[in-house]
Amino acid sequence: MKLKRICGLLTAFAICTAACVPTIADDRTPVFNASAADAWYFAGETCDPLHDTSRDVQKEGVGNPLNFGERNTPADASAAEIRAINHKMTVQEVKYALYKEIDEHWDLISTRLGQPDREKMYALFLGLGSRESTLGEGKIGSDHETAYEDGWGVNSAHAYGTLQTAVTAFKDCDPKFMPEDNVPEMYQYSFTEQNFYDCIISNHMGIRKILHFAEICINQEKMHGYQVIRNSLKGFNTGWCTMATDSGAYETYADEICSMAQFYYNEGHLYDNVFTWTSAQGQMDKYRTADRWDWWGDTEPSMAPIVEKQEPATTTSTTTTINTTTTTTTTVPTPSAQNKYVMKVVDKETGEPVDDASFMIAWNMTYNTGEKRANITTFNTESENPVTLTPSNLVNVTDYDLEIRSMSHHIYYTYNADDVVVEKDAANHTINYTIKLTKRAEPQISTGSCIVYVVDKATGKLINNGDFTAALTVVFDDGHESDTIYEIKTSKYNPFVFVPAIPKSSKSYSFGKFRSADGKYSFTEEDIDCAVDTETMISTYTIKVSPYQAVYGDANCDGTVDMSDIVLIMQSLANPNKYGEKGTSADHITTAGLKNADVDLSSQGLTSNDALRIQEYLLHKITSLDPK
């Protein structure tokens, strides 16, 4: 949301003093702070903090001075009544409502996002709230709703509140949306009007959504450092938290949030009614530096189990004399033999490894006090299968075991708890789990999915031995484009199904740029059929392929030989990281393209001589590109 600057006539005195102070109509009218020389970049009133300033905020938080409960509105109130309450909140109240949730889950949030400084975390979420709702501008409180035109909960982008928390964050929303069931440490509220519109619950679920993407960034994408929060913010906006090669994918959202966070943190506006907004100019530009994320620090984000803080259990004996007390403390030892758990995940029918499954597990701990506690964590099979797990933090633990709680949603497989085989190897202190997944008869297809079939052009049968790529291209409001590359391995899944999450800041998007990744098959644009169901918005693509046959000179594999092939050859030579065989661009040269382009036998492999020979062919200086 952008604010428009409204300036009246300035008197000569006002110009000389370089100050602009509008008249305040009432307590809720923002004070616009600007100088005659600088662009306007923040608004609102400075005021005293609401919390006891003698508190150690780093250790204790601000202490919930407004006495927010688990919800801010009556559970039986109507949506209109709830929104009316939210609408009256000041910017300062909006800020403290966020801090209440951050403080309540501080250990979890700090660990997952790698930020030990509580006030930096406050600032980060103020930046997110400023990007999404301008913290209410002092006019609408937390009463801000978007993408509701299609109806209640119909659009996955339907969102509400300070953080603009989307319906997809809630339990029991449309089952066609991908579930967010990987943050067991935070309660997941059901999708009802009373929950969706309550500002405290909205904040809770918005923070939980950020942690949902953080888990994916850490466990699946193997990210480190500030890239976890940076890409979690990207996921919050777009639905994908994969690392982008184009800086434009971050510039107007995640990076802008970081800049606004520094404004609140560095200029002392964490606890008052002052707010800034996206694209504010003037002195805000000093925070829009190439190294802005250095401010976040270098603490490593972690999926370490989060447990309630507890004083170590001890046995104590005390001997007292007139002036002296002697205390002896004995810590209960951990179990002498620590088991390791080896988790193997396979296809129940074929026995082949399933390398894209994710599970939630619990370490069930028994302490020397008799207390029992479950420490929740996750594992996935993307980087290794089987996965070896061992528990951590066994101080004062007398016994423990592992429990598989659930499998994260999978398009192709289902999980049955009865299909877990456990074998104990006592001699090696190893417990081997084999988790057998059942393949669905049909992929579980959600609204808005893209389905890709790869078939033999001659027979129409599904191909099961070729690798392909495709790209989802998003055009943003500011005109820049960003590609997300998908690998389609037909030996694994055919059809290939995915659900694109389209960012709110996008102007348009398209799915395509299909390529053969391994060079085994050939096809042209004319061999790709697409059908769209306008009710479900499910797009079905059928790619009809033939065994690879060389089309000499056709570097980009579009079925023709022209100047674009010469351009791609030169790009792949000049910038192999982007346009080479393993390049990051959706338009990089492929294995088949390399074979087609290698038309000059005087040099081995792809060189500029190949581009020169194709140019000679186009100029009719030679009649064939067949290198033989």
Side-chain angles (χ1 to χ4, degrees):
M1 184 179 297
K2 295 183 179 179
L3 300 177
K4 295 181 179 179
R5 184 181 181 185
I6 303 174
C7 294
L9 295 174
L10 297 177
T11 64
F13 173 79
I15 294 174
C16 292
T17 57
C20 174
V21 185
T23 302
I24 300 176
D26 58 57
D27 290 341
R28 294 185 53 75
T29 302
V31 175
F32 301 124
N33 299 275
S35 74
D38 296 327
W40 182 50
Y41 74 106
F42 68 91
E45 311 97 330
T46 58
C47 58
D48 292 333
L50 295 176
H51 65 278
D52 179 358
T53 55
S54 67
R55 292 177 65 89
D56 185 340
V57 172
Q58 178 59 31
K59 291 183 178 179
E60 303 175 296
V62 293
N64 193 15
L66 294 174
N67 295 315
F68 289 116
E70 291 308 303
R71 57 183 308 123
N72 188 46
T73 54
D76 58 353
S78 68
E81 291 169 333
I82 292 171
R83 296 189 64 171
I85 293 171
N86 297 339
H87 199 88
K88 296 177 181 178
M89 295 175 72
T90 65
V91 169
Q92 188 180 42
E93 290 168 344
V94 166
K95 291 179 180 181
Y96 277 90
L98 273 173
Y99 302 160
K100 180 262 181 188
E101 285 300 308
I102 294 171
D103 287 347
E104 191 167 304
H105 303 282
W106 172 245
D107 286 346
L108 175 67
I109 299 168
S110 173
T111 301
R112 295 292 181 265
L113 301 184
Q115 182 50 261
D117 186 327
R118 196 183 297 248
E119 289 193 324
K120 283 190 177 181
M121 193 70 76
Y122 288 171
L124 187 282
F125 278 94
L126 291 187
L128 175 57
S130 298
R131 178 63 176 82
E132 289 288 356
S133 67
T134 323
L135 298 181
E137 306 174 37
K139 299 176 182 178
I140 60 173
S142 62
D143 182 31
H144 186 59
E145 186 174 20
T146 55
Y148 54 85
E149 295 84 357
D150 296 334
W152 169 250
V154 174
N155 191 327
S156 62
H158 183 194
Y160 184 79
T162 301
L163 302 181
Q164 286 295 277
T165 304
V167 299
T168 53
F170 290 82
K171 186 171 64 175
D172 305 325
C173 63
D174 190 330
K176 295 176 183 177
F177 298 149
M178 296 295 284
E180 298 182 5
D181 53 7
N182 60 343
V183 191
E185 302 89 347
M186 289 184 72
Y187 184 75
Q188 187 176 24
Y189 287 89
S190 294
F191 183 52
T192 66
E193 286 191 343
Q194 286 69 29
N195 290 338
F196 181 70
Y197 288 117
D198 184 88
C199 75
I200 295 295
I201 292 177
S202 178
N203 288 341
H204 174 98
M205 296 303 290
I207 293 170
R208 189 182 186 279
K209 192 176 187 73
I210 289 288
L211 299 187
H212 156 72
F213 286 111
E215 186 273 330
I216 297 172
C217 288
I218 296 170
N219 280 341
Q220 298 183 29
E221 300 299 325
K222 308 303 178 186
M223 294 181 190
H224 299 278
Y226 76 89
Q227 292 293 2
V228 170
I229 180 58
R230 192 185 190 209
N231 284 278
S232 295
L233 290 169
K234 173 175 170 284
F236 192 90
N237 179 44
T238 68
W240 336 301
C241 56
T242 50
M243 189 84 76
T245 57
D246 178 8
S247 62
Y250 303 102
E251 186 175 350
T252 61
Y253 194 83
D255 291 353
E256 180 70 358
I257 287 170
C258 181
S259 299
M260 290 189 288
Q262 291 182 64
F263 161 79
Y264 290 108
Y265 184 83
N266 291 324
E267 302 201 14
H269 294 303
L270 291 175
Y271 305 117
D272 56 19
N273 275 305
V274 170
F275 61 94
T276 187
W277 51 89
T278 305
S279 302
Q281 299 299 307
Q283 295 189 49
M284 270 299 297
D285 286 338
K286 67 185 177 184
Y287 299 120
R288 296 190 181 103
T289 59
D291 59 355
R292 73 190 79 187
W293 281 102
D294 287 353
W295 168 80
W296 188 248
D298 56 5
T299 301
E300 185 64 24
S302 168
M303 288 302 298
I306 304 299
V307 297
E308 294 181 5
K309 292 182 178 178
Q310 173 181 298
E311 293 297 323
T314 60
T315 59
T316 304
S317 62
T318 304
T319 304
T320 305
T321 64
I322 296 176
N323 298 316
T324 307
T325 300
T326 303
T327 302
T328 304
T329 301
T330 304
T331 301
V332 176
T334 60
S336 57
Q338 182 172 336
N339 290 324
K340 62 180 179 180
Y341 294 75
V342 180
M343 320 298 290
K344 184 178 182 180
V345 184
V346 301
D347 183 299
K348 184 177 181 179
E349 182 178 350
T350 66
E352 292 295 316
V354 177
D355 295 333
D356 57 356
S358 179
F359 290 84
M360 181 194 307
I361 64 170
W363 293 108
N364 295 317
M365 306 290 195
T366 302
Y367 291 84
N368 64 328
T369 59
E371 179 189 7
K372 296 181 182 293
R373 189 187 308 156
N375 297 339
I376 307 297
T377 186
T378 61
F379 79 90
N380 68 76
T381 59
E382 186 166 328
S383 59
E384 58 179 346
N385 189 4
V387 179
T388 300
L389 306 174
T390 54
S392 59
N393 192 19
L394 293 179
V395 175
N396 297 313
V397 173
T398 58
D399 194 17
Y400 65 88
D401 63 22
L402 180 147
E403 174 191 359
I404 301 174
R405 290 283 180 92
S406 64
M407 182 176 78
S408 297
H409 174 77
H410 202 294
I411 291 174
Y412 301 97
Y413 284 98
T414 62
Y415 162 68
N416 189 328
D418 295 333
D419 288 326
V420 178
V421 178
V422 182
E423 297 176 337
K424 296 184 179 181
D425 181 354
N428 294 306
H429 304 293
T430 301
I431 301 177
N432 297 295
Y433 281 71
T434 302
I435 306 171
K436 300 178 181 180
L437 304 185
T438 301
K439 200 161 191 176
R440 301 180 189 274
E442 294 290 339
Q444 192 169 66
I445 298 172
S446 307
T447 298
S449 294
C450 291
I451 309 171
V452 181
Y453 292 89
V454 184
V455 302
D456 185 290
K457 186 174 182 178
T459 66
K461 293 183 178 180
L462 293 174
I463 295 294
N464 62 7
N465 64 343
D467 294 345
F468 302 83
T469 61
L472 183 69
T473 302
V474 175
V475 180
F476 290 86
D477 290 339
D478 60 5
H480 85 271
E481 296 184 6
S482 178
D483 283 333
T484 300
I485 309 299
Y486 291 86
E487 294 182 348
I488 303 173
K489 296 182 179 292
T490 60
S491 59
K492 190 174 183 180
Y493 303 123
N494 193 0
F496 171 78
V497 181
F498 81 101
V499 183
I502 308 305
K504 302 171 194 174
S505 55
S506 67
K507 183 166 60 176
S508 63
Y509 71 95
S510 61
F511 182 64
K513 299 183 180 179
F514 295 102
R515 318 288 292 278
S516 171
D518 56 10
K520 291 182 179 179
Y521 292 95
S522 299
F523 59 93
T524 67
E525 288 293 324
E526 295 170 349
D527 294 320
I528 303 172
D529 295 332
C530 177
V532 179
D533 186 320
T534 55
E535 291 187 4
T536 63
M537 295 308 295
I538 294 175
S539 303
T540 303
Y541 298 83
T542 304
I543 308 174
K544 294 169 285 187
V545 302
S546 303
Y548 168 75
Q549 291 181 334
V551 180
Y552 293 115
D554 185 15
N556 59 13
C557 298
D558 65 354
T560 61
V561 180
D562 53 29
M563 278 299 297
S564 64
D565 299 300
I566 297 174
V567 171
L568 180 57
I569 291 172
M570 299 310 293
Q571 285 177 321
S572 68
L573 294 173
N575 190 354
N577 289 335
K578 186 172 183 179
Y579 294 105
E581 185 179 6
K582 303 296 183 182
T584 57
S585 170
D587 299 314
H588 71 87
I589 197 166
T590 63
T591 302
L594 286 173
K595 294 178 183 178
N596 289 343
D598 191 7
V599 294
D600 180 69
L601 293 181
S602 66
S603 56
Q604 187 175 4
L606 193 65
T607 69
S608 59
N609 288 340
D610 297 300
L612 179 60
R613 185 169 176 81
I614 295 171
Q615 185 178 32
E616 290 175 342
Y617 173 78
L618 294 175
L619 294 173
H620 306 293
K621 292 184 177 181
I622 57 176
T623 58
S624 173
L625 286 172
D626 189 336
K628 300 177 182 179

